[in-house]
Amino acid sequence: MEYLKVIAFTHHHIDLKSLGKLVICDESLDNRLKNIQTVLPVSEIFYIGTCNRVEFVFLTKEKTDKEFVTKFLTVLDMGLPPEFMERFLENVTVYENEEAFNHLLRTSCSLESLVVGEKEILAQIRKAYENCRDAGFTGDYMRMIMDRVVKTAKEVYTHTNISKNPVSVVSLAYRKLKELNMCGNSRILIIGAGETNQNIAKYLNKHKYSNFSIFNRTLSKAESLASELNGKAYPLEALENFNEGFDVIITCTGSTEPIITEALYAKLLHGDTGKKVIVDLAIPNDVAPAVVHNNPIHYIEVESLKEVARKNIQERYNELVHAEDIISANITEFFTVLKQRRIELAMQDVPRKIKEIKNTAINGVFAEEISQMDEASREVLERVMNYMEKKYISVPMIMAKEILVKQS
């Protein structure tokens, strides 16, 4: 655990609009992480970006002080103005070693989420890790960490009521939307066909809303969601010329710049002066601030859901305590697993060396004597040697692990 580090920027210390400036788009993620590993002594790394957090989980022997974090952000090259760089440095949270592991487990169990009890965070962390693993940014150590992260989160969700009557950012947003008493044939534009919009679309479909137009960069994903909602699918660029009007916009994309600018919004209105509803669950926001300020809009965004989320934490206090106990037990257990893995890695050359000894004995030291044996005797000798080889490989490993367990 001595090398695990987490650099975290979260809703606990940074407003979500500012947090959006740290979000890395999929297209540039690989290059930014490659830069980190090229310039800094970071052996494994993955990036987590959700609606209320941006975190970097990595391995390094370096002390992660302010100087390291400053260099880390500089190498990421996010184009941050000096005032934002200073703000992030003042509000960053750095976790090291066991504290970093504990934080990662708490996060995966939703204990660090804006809404405690929402299960989406585990899937988001897994996907973030898998994307970086597949791109070659992580190895065996992070694999073990993530195996334990998933195991712990599943235990918490299974053995506590923390996710009973689950509340999520999506469900909170839908509750706000429902309070506006929209009619069933309201014209709804859905911009982005990712997991968040898929989830809110399920609520809308369940409650008999039926007039959907879905826009997405990848048309096939828009078509897939449109088929579930019996709506129409369009490529994202078609939004510019959409003139069929709307009552509600639901947007959540991975764009680092506003999708809905003043000019685009005016085109979408097509002369309509009525009050509209916008649900913007993207971080950074998909809607330009000027659109909200200069038009009659019911605006629902992640930041506005915080107060409801705080009440949710208070209601689940007893479950938090139970979850903490499960996390603590898993941390203790993981230390033993980690030591066992180190023994496996330290002894991984044992099988090769034993095979070399056997081959030297058969083909060198005792080659003349063996050549004088009949075929049946040679077969018996071969079986004995193979048996001894397996035992010489497995017994030391088992004994080392048993000694380790007794010492723990």
Side-chain angles (χ1 to χ4, degrees), residues 350-395:
V350 170
R352 179 180 59 79
K353 289 185 178 298
I354 290 175
K355 285 181 184 296
E356 287 177 357
I357 292 170
K358 185 186 81 169
N359 290 334
T360 300
I362 293 175
N363 301 315
V365 179
F366 301 105
E368 186 176 342
E369 291 91 332
I370 292 173
S371 67
Q372 296 173 10
M373 299 171 75
D374 58 59
E375 186 174 345
S377 298
R378 282 198 297 271
E379 286 180 359
V380 171
L381 177 62
E382 183 70 21
R383 289 202 301 271
V384 170
M385 294 292 284
N386 288 340
Y387 175 82
M388 295 296 290
E389 178 185 347
K390 290 177 182 177
K391 290 300 179 181
Y392 279 131
I393 291 171
S394 63
V395 171

Side-chain angles (χ1 to χ4, degrees), residues 10-207:
T10 75
H11 63 96
H12 292 298
H13 303 110
I14 302 173
D15 68 275
L16 297 180
K17 285 185 174 63
S18 297
L19 193 61
K21 295 187 179 296
L22 286 172
V23 172
I24 303 176
C25 65
D26 292 342
E27 291 79 7
S28 67
L29 179 60
D30 281 11
N31 285 337
R32 294 188 193 280
L33 295 187
K34 282 176 185 174
N35 288 343
I36 291 290
Q37 289 192 318
T38 300
V39 177
L40 297 173
V42 169
S43 57
E44 300 184 36
I45 185 170
F46 74 96
Y47 157 85
I48 302 169
T50 74
C51 64
N52 51 48
R53 68 182 60 253
V54 168
E55 302 196 10
F56 299 89
V57 184
F58 57 98
L59 304 180
T60 184
K61 296 180 181 179
E62 296 292 302
K63 183 179 180 181
T64 43
D65 53 15
K66 184 175 181 179
E67 182 181 350
F68 181 92
V69 177
T70 301
K71 191 169 185 180
F72 191 99
L73 290 179
T74 303
V75 173
L76 274 179
D77 191 23
M78 299 296 290
L80 297 173
E83 63 272 19
F84 273 100
M85 174 70 89
E86 193 57 39
R87 186 186 306 173
F88 288 132
L89 289 173
E90 289 174 358
N91 293 283
V92 65
T93 307
V94 177
Y95 302 93
E96 296 188 335
N97 311 325
E98 184 176 339
E99 189 181 33
F101 190 39
N102 181 58
H103 168 74
L104 198 53
L105 293 177
R106 285 177 55 84
T107 302
S108 71
C109 298
S110 84
L111 304 195
E112 296 288 341
S113 293
L114 181 63
V115 180
V116 172
E118 54 95 3
K119 291 183 177 181
E120 286 91 342
I121 185 63
L122 175 59
Q124 290 168 333
I125 291 175
R126 288 182 74 171
K127 184 177 180 182
Y129 162 71
E130 288 167 0
N131 287 344
C132 290
R133 177 201 64 194
D134 294 345
F137 292 111
T138 68
D140 188 63
Y141 195 107
M142 207 67 84
R143 175 193 63 78
M144 294 186 65
I145 292 286
M146 283 305 301
D147 284 349
R148 183 60 50 161
V149 164
V150 173
K151 174 183 179 293
T152 304
K154 287 182 176 179
E155 287 179 9
V156 167
Y157 292 132
T158 301
H159 300 299
T160 76
N161 288 321
I162 202 165
S163 60
K164 187 177 181 181
N165 300 320
V167 180
S168 65
V169 170
V170 167
S171 64
L172 291 178
Y174 179 72
R175 288 182 192 181
K176 289 274 190 182
L177 194 57
K178 191 177 179 183
E179 289 170 6
L180 300 176
N181 295 316
M182 303 181 309
C183 61
N185 64 350
S186 296
R187 298 163 298 173
I188 301 174
L189 306 189
I190 296 180
I191 303 173
E195 184 178 357
T196 299
N197 276 355
Q198 289 173 27
N199 288 337
I200 202 166
K202 289 175 184 176
Y203 282 100
L204 293 164
N205 198 26
K206 181 180 178 181
H207 291 88

